[in-house]
Amino acid sequence: MSKTKLFEPYKLGPITLPNRLVMAPLTRNRAVAGMVPSPLAVEYYGQRASAGLLITEASQVSQQGQGYQDTPGIYSKEQVAGWRKVTDRVHERGGRIFIQTWHVGRVSHTSLQPNNGAPVAPSAMRAKGKTFVGGTFTDISEPRALTLEEIPGIIESFKRGTANALEAGFDGVEIHGANGYLLDQFARDSSNKRTDAYGGSIENRAKLMLEVAAVVAAEAGAERTGIRISPVTPANDVSDSNPQPLFDYIVDRLNALKLVYIHVIEGATGGPRDIAPFDYGSLRKRFKGTYVANNGYDFELATKVLAADAADLIAFGKPFISNPDLVERLKAGAPLNAFDKATFYGGGAKGYTDYPALGEALDAAQ
Ligand SMILES: Cc1cc2nc3c(=O)[nH]c(=O)nc-3n(C[C@H](O)[C@H](O)[C@H](O)COP(=O)(O)O)c2cc1C
């Protein structure tokens, strides 16, 4: 086996990670009662506690921030209590866990919104695409543009979500600034046609993401605040006419805020890594904190990128869905369980907590 830094410890702000593997945020749509994480979620995250760092599935900071059925929230007392059981289990197993906080913006459906209203967006432009409601994929609803007066309320919801996350025992917070959700909708010029202080120039479009980052860092401490970005992903129907200067600027400002990490989806989320030209090395250079790389990584690519010092940590998504003991398997050079796409979103234990660890798989075969 080639020499790898993947299993070396790493100091992430005040936290020491025993290895460089991060479990990427993965929406699983199983918070069926009041958008509260279920007992199965406690088991699911607990099974994966050997990851250097776990990042939870995206969790909405308000009802308005929800875009798919049965995704967990971090705005009610019951949700905080549900997450507390998750963090307790992960900590009992010796793990570390951040929550990904989320506002979907326009990627939603009226049936999920307060009073069945329109989802909110930088501009009243519908995203082409589907969301998951009522057990099926349905067209995303027509949104309305947020007024200038509503923006402080959005920032406040991320601040409250952070306070709740700390109360729930999380080790830190990852702001979801990626994949065409609200903060990314503001940043990119295909979805932001505003003419006020939050539209037009790069500085104006980046403003909401940076204001959210500042309040979350003030609440949790910058050393416990990370953010996820995806400079060129076309996910959820967003694009930008000139992403390099936009994300160079964003990362310069995030560096000034001293966030503990940037988590970068390189290429199209879950798709080609080379979908569009982009210099990730430029982000790496600008950001003095930790660079977490994601998208399509396997052992070989992770080893190569760590050896080249192009990233500090590597986030794995789908491999963690089907391999609770991904760390041990990669260490042993053991084969990985294949994942079943049919059980990604919604359902119960099947395809969620029933993927076997290595010893269990051997036992089952005997
Ligand atoms: C089932 C599923 C759910 C996902 N949910 C989220 C999410 O909640 N937040 C997020 O930022 N990315 C989400 N993603 C994207 C993954 O975090 C990751 O970027 C993507 O799967 C590429 O990494 P991989 O090649 O290691 O799987 C999801 C992906 C999948 C397959």
Side-chain angles (χ1 to χ4, degrees):
M1 197 167 71
S2 48
K3 191 167 154 38
T4 185
K5 279 165 77 175
L6 206 46
F7 310 114
E8 290 177 7
Y10 182 81
K11 199 147 170 10
L12 182 70
I15 309 168
T16 301
L17 316 183
N19 58 65
R20 312 287 182 103
L21 280 91
V22 174
M23 177 175 162
L26 295 159
T27 290
R28 307 304 306 275
N29 307 79
R30 282 159 166 91
V32 286
M35 276 63 77
V36 174
S38 70
L40 276 178
V42 176
E43 195 180 334
Y44 166 76
Y45 286 109
Q47 287 171 339
R48 288 157 178 75
S50 63
L53 179 68
L54 300 174
I55 303 168
T56 71
E57 64 211 273
S59 307
Q60 61 270 5
V61 291
S62 61
Q63 187 190 342
Q64 185 195 67
Q66 182 173 0
Y68 306 81
Q69 77 175 55
D70 303 332
T71 57
I74 185 69
Y75 56 90
S76 77
K77 277 202 160 34
E78 294 75 19
Q79 292 160 357
V80 171
W83 280 121
R84 168 54 84 171
K85 294 183 185 139
V86 170
T87 62
D88 280 350
R89 177 69 61 88
V90 169
H91 292 145
E92 277 160 30
R93 301 268 173 96
R96 297 133 302 274
I97 184 165
F98 276 36
I99 186 171
Q100 189 185 52
T101 55
W102 194 27
H103 192 306
V104 297
R106 66 179 185 168
V107 184
S108 186
H109 190 264
T110 51
S111 64
L112 295 169
Q113 290 292 309
N115 307 314
N116 295 325
V120 299
S123 303
M125 297 162 67
R126 200 176 76 81
K128 285 186 208 74
K130 304 272 180 195
T131 177
F132 182 70
V133 283
T136 71
F137 285 93
T138 311
D139 281 344
I140 289 168
S141 300
E142 191 72 38
R144 67 174 179 83
L146 281 165
T147 66
L148 200 54
E149 293 69 37
E150 288 177 289
I151 289 186
I154 300 280
I155 298 169
E156 182 63 27
S157 65
F158 275 95
K159 182 172 182 226
R160 268 199 318 273
T162 304
N164 288 340
L166 297 174
E167 194 185 325
F170 283 102
D171 298 299
V173 171
E174 174 175 292
I175 299 158
H176 198 340
N179 291 346
Y181 295 112
L182 185 68
L183 304 180
D184 203 22
Q185 288 159 27
F186 268 83
R188 298 217 249 169
D189 60 11
S190 73
S191 44
N192 183 344
K193 304 292 179 194
R194 298 176 76 95
T195 53
D196 62 11
Y198 289 87
S201 65
I202 281 177
E203 290 79 359
N204 285 0
R205 283 182 280 123
K207 195 168 153 68
L208 183 61
M209 192 184 293
L210 297 171
E211 287 177 342
V212 166
V215 298
V216 172
E219 191 71 32
E223 73 285 4
R224 292 184 184 274
T225 304
I227 190 166
R228 194 169 214 219
I229 54 174
S230 52
V232 297
T233 196
N236 291 310
D237 195 23
V238 289
S239 63
D240 194 84
S241 55
N242 204 359
Q244 191 77 49
L246 171 63
F247 282 90
D248 280 351
Y249 171 77
I250 287 174
V251 168
D252 278 342
R253 303 314 306 156
L254 295 170
N255 184 59
L257 289 170
K258 298 192 158 43
L259 294 203
V260 73
Y261 70 71
I262 54 170
H263 182 175
V264 184
I265 302 174
E266 300 161 340
T269 314
R273 292 177 47 78
D274 58 356
I275 185 158
F278 191 86
D279 178 13
Y280 298 100
S282 168
L283 307 187
R284 170 72 165 155
K285 240 190 278 123
R286 286 162 194 275
F287 192 72
K288 307 302 172 217
T290 297
Y291 183 103
V292 186
N294 169 251
N295 204 26
Y297 278 83
D298 58 12
F299 177 83
E300 274 70 34
L301 185 59
T303 296
K304 194 171 124 199
V305 165
L306 290 176
D309 200 30
D312 300 298
L313 302 172
I314 308 292
F316 294 82
K318 294 179 289 296
F320 261 116
I321 289 183
S322 51
N323 296 278
D325 57 343
L326 183 64
V327 175
E328 292 74 17
R329 283 177 189 257
L330 292 184
K331 220 182 234 177
L336 302 185
N337 298 319
F339 51 80
D340 171 19
K341 282 190 181 166
T343 51
F344 276 1
Y345 306 108
K350 188 170 175 323
Y352 191 46
T353 51
D354 65 351
Y355 285 108
L358 211 48
E360 295 164 7
L362 287 175
D363 290 349
Q366 277 165 5

